[in-house]
Amino acid sequence: MRHFGHIAPEVRRRLFHQEPCEFTADSPARLLSAALGATLYSPATRPRLADDIVKQAGNGVVSMVLCLEDSIDDADVVEGEENLVRQFADLAARDGAGLPLLFIRVRAPEQIPDLARRLGPAVRLLSGFVMPKFTEERGIPFLEALATAETQTGRRLFAMPVLETPELLYLESRVEALEGIFRAVDKYRDRVLALRLGVTDFCSSYGLRRAPDMTAYDVQIVASVIADVVNMLGRADGTGFTVTGPVWEYFRVPERMFKPMLRHSPFLEGQAVGLRERLIEHAMDGLLREISLDQANGLLGKTCIHPSHVLPVHALSVVSHEEFSDAADILRPERGGGGVLRSAYTNKMNEVKPHRAWAERTMLRAEVFGVANEDVGFVELLAAGIPG
């Protein structure tokens, strides 16, 4: 699989200076954690789930979570598990080629080895499990269950803990909770692919819900948690983990109070005025703003609950030609001693030592999402990726 692999090769050649790389479920964890992109959630009870997965793969989705937790009723868990076993068998019978990375979101640790066993040979299509309401105390049993499932199946399985409990939100317990989470995930570092943020649960603790013309970063109590999670768990010194962006809840806006958050000029230049109108109608201007803020705050990828959210996440994850040029200059071997240099675009200073970690992250993102051609912006990437 590869990002933007669903569009024609000649279109990719026009869009990309460096095309996204190909990867598989067996690729190195460092690559996969960056490549998750827009992780699309789907209830595990969907009767045509196998068909849905194949369809979404054809539309550019590269990671999916099949959910047995909050997205389904408590009474439907058993049926959801049975449906997953049937749907994985269906996918395996189709040979399983070209599928996204597939994860199961469970409710309890004992579901992990049980489901891995029940999937039988189709477990080869599973990349891991999403672990809800993760704390040190709750999380260790999940991670131990994952290790058991790996031993039983002989299959490499990854964990994606979800950070969403009140202990993280409440100021008096936040640092202790984050320290405990770090101890838990550090012990199983090789199997923790990414940490996911449950912002809807954070808001729930205070009876809040952000409006479609506001981002998670406008809700200050949520923004403070995101900052502290990145501060303690997302460092670029080798101790950190990939932290993914929070879910965007909206896909249509009946009425708005504030002006849209998309400028006219990029769409006029790209002859895509109609695309701008559709994005605004479906609340995508808020989503695009939040994706940009995710990246500015050290997050990579995003939880998605609607297929229309996938392409904006991927389009804004592509490295611009200017970013690539700056990163390449900073990482030149002869720059190992540091120093300051003017950007090749002559519009900024690149300071080699302070910007090195940014450059390394940018080059990893360039590998999995590609580098846009010099005259290609996010509008062209959005327009090209929309199914015809």
Side-chain angles (χ1 to χ4, degrees), residues 209-266:
R209 186 173 192 177
R210 69 188 188 275
D213 44 12
M214 293 186 181
T215 71
Y217 302 91
D218 294 311
V219 183
Q220 290 299 300
I221 198 163
V222 169
S224 71
V225 182
I226 295 174
D228 288 344
V229 168
V230 174
N231 189 327
M232 295 184 70
L233 300 174
R235 299 177 185 180
D237 60 0
T239 67
F241 296 83
T242 294
V243 183
T244 65
V247 69
W248 180 257
E249 299 178 354
Y250 297 94
F251 37 88
R252 183 175 289 274
V253 180
E255 184 179 7
R256 61 172 64 238
M257 183 182 301
F258 301 108
K259 289 182 178 179
M261 291 180 271
L262 286 177
R263 292 170 54 238
H264 284 277
S265 54

Side-chain angles (χ1 to χ4, degrees), residues 6 13 31 38 86 105 149 162 181 188 201 206 208 210 216 225 240 255 275 277 305 313 325 338 342:
H6 65 299
R13 286 193 292 271
L31 188 75
R86 290 193 300 269
R105 178 167 169 161
V162 185
I181 290 168
Y188 291 84
D201 281 57
Y206 286 88
L208 304 175
R210 69 188 188 275
V225 182
E255 184 179 7
L275 173 59
E277 292 173 355
I305 46 82
V313 174
S325 173
R342 185 176 64 172

Side-chain angles (χ1 to χ4, degrees), residues 159-186:
M160 290 204 290
V162 185
L163 312 186
E164 55 188 344
T165 60
E167 295 96 320
L168 279 174
L169 192 62
Y170 300 155
L171 188 60
E172 67 272 18
S173 56
R174 186 179 303 170
V175 172
E176 183 180 353
L178 285 168
E179 287 175 340
I181 290 168
F182 179 81
R183 286 191 295 268
V185 295
D186 188 50

Side-chain angles (χ1 to χ4, degrees), residues 304-315:
C304 294
I305 46 82
H306 196 273
S308 64
H309 298 170
V310 172
L311 181 57
V313 174
H314 292 170

Side-chain angles (χ1 to χ4, degrees), residues 36 64-66 101-105 127-130 160 193:
L36 287 167
M64 290 186 70
V65 173
L66 315 175
L101 303 172
L102 297 176
F103 302 85
I104 297 174
R105 178 167 169 161
S127 289
F129 292 88
V130 175
M160 290 204 290
L193 193 61

Side-chain angles (χ1 to χ4, degrees), residues 9 28 55 58-59 81 83 93 131 155 185 221 257 262 287 306 326 330 353:
K55 176 182 177 182
N59 289 335
E81 291 178 344
N83 188 55
M131 302 169 177
R155 168 81 180 152
V185 295
I221 198 163
M257 183 182 301
L262 286 177
L287 170 61
H306 196 273
D326 288 338
I330 290 164
K353 288 184 178 179

